[in-house]
Amino acid sequence: MEYIQRKTLLYKTEVEYGDYTLNHIQGCSHGCLYPCYAYMMARRFGRAKSIEEWMEPKLVSNAIELLKKEIPKYKDKINSVHLCFTTDPFMYGYDEICNSSIEIIKLLNTNDIPCTALTKGILPKELDCTDKINSYGITLISLNESYRKKNEMNSAPYLERVNSLKYLHDKGFNTWVSIEPYPTPNILEQNFDDILNAICFVDKIIFGRLNYNKKVSEYKNYQDFYNNLVEKVIEYCEKTNKKYHIKDGTYKK
């Protein structure tokens, strides 16, 4: 594991459903090829020269030190802190990263700051010792393992993600799933209801389309396809008393 240091950590996010966030890792081993927006931005701004470099994550060694300095400054402004928008806090197969994320969450909780976390890895069982003010989620865009191995090559198997989320749900934590970026049928033919059934226990669903992929625009009536799925998500969540968020640009008339 390579280490880097940073001068700052906490910052206000521009993501429409976020508040404050931090990214205590640079890069991500999962190697998502949708393409990955985080990698696209890293390459644009010179933080990674290639996907191979991006897939060799670097852990911020002074994250706790920075947090102890920044929490008093931002505490009264923060509603919650999200881990993470440009990397994965529970990167599959990286115990050091997972342990660092848990330490960060516990420090924020000690200061009465709730955390949200999203992963394509496995949510560690050790999270059951964190505060119930936290909310934990997984990304799940399919149940097709062949698709995962091709497009999220080093991420956790889909059902292992679901099972780790269900464990925390059963321990009393608020849980959620991000069904994004969801592929069009010319990329992957699948039954959307199967995904909903697999995550029927969660408290919230976020849904978003696949962007930056020309195959989407090649699919006839792709906007109708996404509009129909948005309506299905809303109907399902209202029927089952779940919260939901539809990502900007997914639904258009």
Side-chain angles (χ1 to χ4, degrees), residues 54-109:
W54 178 252
M55 289 172 62
E56 293 292 335
K58 301 175 179 64
L59 185 61
V60 176
S61 62
N62 63 331
I64 293 297
E65 177 185 341
L66 288 173
L67 270 183
K68 288 179 178 179
K69 293 179 181 178
E70 293 177 348
I71 286 173
K73 179 180 178 181
Y74 294 110
K75 184 176 180 179
D76 293 339
K77 302 176 183 179
I78 295 174
N79 293 316
S80 66
V81 173
H82 181 68
L83 286 73
C84 306
F85 280 124
T86 68
T87 187
D88 195 303
F90 300 109
M91 212 170 290
Y92 193 49
Y94 283 83
D95 290 343
E96 285 182 82
I97 289 174
C98 294
N99 292 338
S100 175
S101 299
I102 293 172
E103 187 179 8
I104 285 170
I105 290 170
K106 287 182 176 180
L107 176 58
L108 289 164
N109 289 168

Side-chain angles (χ1 to χ4, degrees), residues 184 186-187 209-210 213-219 222 226:
T184 45
N186 61 325
I187 298 173
R209 55 165 287 172
L210 172 60
N213 189 317
K214 65 180 182 179
K215 288 186 178 181
V216 172
S217 58
E218 292 172 357
Y219 183 71
Y222 70 88
Y226 283 120

Side-chain angles (χ1 to χ4, degrees), residues 12-20 37 82 85 178 180 204 206-209 211 244-251:
K12 182 76 174 174
T13 177
E14 298 300 322
V15 176
E16 70 268 20
Y17 62 89
D19 185 32
Y20 276 76
Y37 180 76
H82 181 68
F85 280 124
S178 175
E180 183 205 15
K204 182 178 180 179
I206 293 175
F207 180 75
R209 55 165 287 172
N211 292 298
Y244 64 86
H245 176 83
I246 307 302
K247 290 297 295 292
D248 287 350
T250 301
Y251 187 88

